Each structure stands twice: as structure tokens, then as C-alpha cells.
Amino acid sequence: MHDIRIVRADPAAFDAALARRGLPPMADAILTQDGIRRSAQTALQELQSRRNQISKEIGIGKRQGADTAALEAEATALRGRMEALEAEARAADTAQTEVLESLPNLLAEDVPEGRDETSNVVLHQHGTPPELSFTPRQHFEIGEALGLMDFAGAAKLAGARFTVLKGQLARLERALGQYMLSLHVDEHGFSETSVPLLVNDATMYGTGQLPKFKEDLFHTDDGRWLIPTAEVPLTNLVAGEILAEEALPLRFASLSPCFRSEAGSAGRDTRGMLRQHQFNKVEMVSITTPEQSAAEHERMTQCAERVLTELGLVWRRVVLCAGDTGFASSKTYDLEVWLPGQGAWREISSCSNCRDFQARRMGARYRPRDAKGTAFLHTLNGSGVATGRALIAVLETHQQQDGRVAVPPVLVPFMGGLTHIG
């Protein structure tokens, strides 16, 4: 959500910021409704003042036995005019809010220009794609050859874009989640948090999923939503709160299932586990002050990078361009991993600084230690990382010519000492 005062202060700058995302000018439409609302409210205050005066005059007149019929008629007429003005103000406020809540976050100044992912910028790379002595297979070929990845069985149970993992692969996915959560909690200072998988409208609205992206979500018959990521409940833990600056930053981590309809991905990644309706992910969320959010963004991204390094993966950090940055984000780093079976870089983690965009929607504030009043918090989120995509990367990176898969050393304790799958 945007601060209307920013639009009032510099409409041209606001429209220029939207233009970076390829959006048309919106300041005039917003300010027109804002003007209608403010004019109606001013008129209401004037009529209310007159009505209060009339009430006093009617009271005095009745005590003195005077005829107050004219005053009473004026009061009745004022009531009708006030009700009309209240309706006008509500309509203008609703129209203004609908526009503001539909607009994405304003981008950080250092986000590169560009319309799509082809303009994203690689910042640094860890490792070099290996040259294997054999033709590498994709993850689904490896899993099916092992008899441990069952897409047909999953389709029988639930339809397309689901997977059944068995035996050692099921344990590998569990090991990945346990390893990543333990790392973030024990060494990176995040607080382990178990969250509801079903949330209400207000919670989805607070982080920006509603109303714009409802087609990407799963909805239940009783009016709840399945979470697309644990970012949603974790961030909303501070909704409506006023925190002391001394309590910040707050850092939460959660391993949870995630549910996405993938409404806009027809025909994309139909083979394998890359794009699923249900998957597990370790999510990181930070709540901090405006002064610290940029540093926190860097810290969070480094936490995710460490996971990939310790898993022995080849990865790179990419800053998303203006046209590829998500709705609620002001700036996003993607971590991409090299998949030998695909011979391609694929996104495995996304870490975003949302600044005060979500906090405004949630009404989440803090009380600065050296200032009066309150200010909006800054919120950040990052995947650290999705276990399904990590499993894909481990299978394709550590596949052996004999069909086995080497288990990364950091996962061996979580695999009961198993060093190879197959």
C-alpha cells in the first residue's frame, strides 16, 4: 500500500516510479478521488458545526417557548445533506483505496531498468558449471530410474503437478528441510516458528496476495486460504502491532508446505518437480527499521547463499530488473543454481526487501527510541530454500555415472550416515 502523502507531494515522481514497472500514470486518478473525499469531509465538518449550533438554538428556543419549527426543518435538511456527503466521501475513499492497493511497491533506486528477466543483472557467481565425463540426466530421470520418484502415482492421487517421493529420496527431502532450518536457527539467529497453513482474508491482504493474486491461491469452502509461502503468516505476526525499537530486528524461520495454483504457468516445466502445486520450503522473514533494512536484505541473502555453498552447488546471485521484480518487493535478489541435467540456471531462492509496503497494509509500526510517535516497520522475506528445488539441484549436481547420487556431507548426519542414494 502506498502513502497518499507521497502522491500529493510529487505526482510526477510517483508516476515516474510506476513507469519503471511499465505502468501508466495513476497520480491524477488517485488525487481526483482524494480531492473529492477531502472536499466532502470539509463540507461535512462545516455542516456538523452548523447542526450543533442549530441544536443549541432549538434548546434555547424551547425553554423560552419560542417557535422552533424553522430550525427543526433546517436540521432535518442538514441531516440529509450530511448523509449524502458521507456516502460521497466513502465512495471516493473506496475508489482511491482500490487503486492504491492494486499498485505494486515502488522500486529501490538501484534496481536496474528492464522489462523482463533478460535484463536481470548477475552480481557474482560461486563455482563453475562442471564438465562431466558422462551425459548428465535430469532430476526426474534420476528419480524414476531409482524407483523413488513417482509422478504417475501422484497424478492418480491428486492430478498433475504433484510428486510422490519414496524411500531414500523422501528422506533426502526431509534431511534438506531439517538441515536448512537448523542452520538458520542455530547459526543465523532466526527463531523457529510453526505457523498455520490456512489463513484468513486479512492475512493474505497484509502481505499483498489479495486482492490482486487470488487466482494464484487455493481457497477453502469455509473462506480460508492455503498459504503460498510461510512468508504470509510469519510477516503478519506483527500486523496491527506497535513494537519497541529495542525489540528489532525480529527474525523468523519456518519449514512449511506451500500451495500454489500456478494459474499462469500452463505448459511451463510440466516434467518433474520444478513447478508444483504443493512443495516444502524453509522461509526466512525479518522485521526491522527503515535504517537497517538494506543491511538486513544483504544478511538474509547471504544466509541463503550459505545453504547452497554447503550443499556443494554452483550458484549465482542476480538482482532483478524493474520489470521482473515482484508486486510487494522494492528490491529482490534471486539465487540461481546450475542444473547439469538441464544445462541451465534456475531460480532456487528469492530474497526481497518490501520496505514499508506490507507494513502499511498490515498496520505494523514501531516506536523509535529517540523520536516521538510511531513509524512503519520494514519487512523482508527470503526462501532459505525450497526443499524440492534443493533436492533437484542435489540430484543433478551430485549424480554419479553408475546411477547413484552422492549425499552432500552436511546432509549425511540427517540421512542416518548414508553417503550415497541408489
Side-chain angles (χ1 to χ4, degrees), residues 20 24 136 183 254 377:
R20 295 187 67 197
L183 178 67
S254 182
L377 293 159

Coordinates of all heavy atoms in Angstrom, one line a residue, residues 20 24 136 183 254 377:
R20 N 8.6 2.9 -14.3 CA 9.7 2.0 -14.3 C 9.2 0.5 -14.3 O 9.9 -0.4 -14.8 CB 10.6 2.2 -13.0 CG 11.3 3.5 -13.0 CD 12.2 3.5 -11.8 NE 13.3 2.5 -11.9 CZ 14.1 2.1 -11.0 NH1 13.9 2.5 -9.7 NH2 15.0 1.2 -11.2
P24 N 1.0 2.7 -16.5 CA 0.6 4.1 -16.9 C 0.5 5.0 -15.7 O 0.5 4.6 -14.5 CB -0.8 3.8 -17.5 CG -1.3 2.6 -16.8 CD -0.1 1.8 -16.5
P136 N 24.8 -36.0 -18.4 CA 24.0 -35.9 -17.1 C 22.5 -36.0 -17.4 O 22.1 -35.7 -18.5 CB 24.4 -34.5 -16.6 CG 24.8 -33.7 -17.8 CD 25.4 -34.7 -18.7
L183 N 20.3 -24.8 10.4 CA 21.4 -23.8 10.1 C 20.9 -22.4 10.4 O 21.6 -21.6 11.1 CB 21.8 -23.9 8.7 CG 22.8 -23.0 8.2 CD1 24.2 -23.2 8.8 CD2 22.9 -23.0 6.6
S254 N 10.7 -20.7 9.2 CA 9.7 -21.8 9.3 C 9.8 -22.8 8.1 O 10.1 -22.3 7.0 CB 8.3 -21.2 9.2 OG 7.3 -22.2 9.4
L377 N 7.2 -0.2 10.1 CA 8.3 -1.2 10.0 C 8.6 -1.4 8.6 O 7.9 -1.1 7.7 CB 7.8 -2.5 10.7 CG 7.6 -2.4 12.2 CD1 6.7 -3.6 12.6 CD2 8.9 -2.5 13.0

